Amino acid sequence: MTNLAGNAVKFTDSGCIRIDAAVVERYPGAVLVEVSVRDTGIGIPANQLGTIFEEFTLASPEIMSKFGGTSLGLAISQKLMQLFGSDISVESTPGEGSTFSFRLRLEEASSPSDGS
């Protein structure tokens, strides 16, 4: 989530960034949480969405020259999510912004005992 939020800040000159998290399903002892990061940034053309999770790849050379970076953040984040059995998905419209989201199944924490 930190990397997705950092990218949203990096690629949004004006407008807003919104981070949402919600429980979308409950299981015995666990929950499925969906997290999304939305921005009103530069957006990503549809024909370039398939490459943004590849190492050392930005949507275009112009992006690299303007914003810099190593282009590893999304690739690393996607690999980490896959280790947790999830994926990062993206929806984007050039000039309007992007939404990156993922779902994680998390174990519920047990309540601490009250000592009695």
Side-chain angles (χ1 to χ4, degrees):
M1 185 175 72
T2 302
N3 181 63
L4 298 178
N7 280 353
V9 169
K10 182 177 184 178
F11 294 107
T12 303
D13 288 334
S14 63
C16 65
I17 297 162
R18 179 177 170 159
I19 300 172
D20 291 305
V23 173
V24 293
E25 233 173 295
R26 293 189 181 278
Y27 307 96
V31 293
L32 183 64
V33 176
E34 182 172 50
V35 176
S36 64
V37 178
R38 293 184 173 106
D39 65 59
T40 57
I42 62 173
I44 305 162
N47 67 341
Q48 296 172 346
L49 287 174
T51 63
I52 62 170
F53 294 106
E54 295 175 10
E55 295 172 359
F56 304 109
T57 303
L58 281 173
S60 71
E62 296 81 27
I63 300 297
M64 181 66 149
S65 65
K66 182 175 180 180
F67 296 99
T70 61
S71 306
L72 287 171
L74 287 176
I76 292 169
S77 296
Q78 182 73 290
K79 287 181 181 184
L80 286 170
M81 292 309 300
Q82 289 170 346
L83 290 173
F84 284 101
S86 186
D87 282 303
I88 299 173
S89 62
V90 60
E91 295 177 10
S92 189
T93 303
E96 293 182 21
S98 303
T99 300
F100 288 83
S101 59
F102 59 89
R103 289 183 170 197
L104 279 179
R105 184 177 170 141
L106 303 171
E107 300 297 316
E108 289 183 320
S110 57
S111 300
S113 64
D114 61 8
S116 52

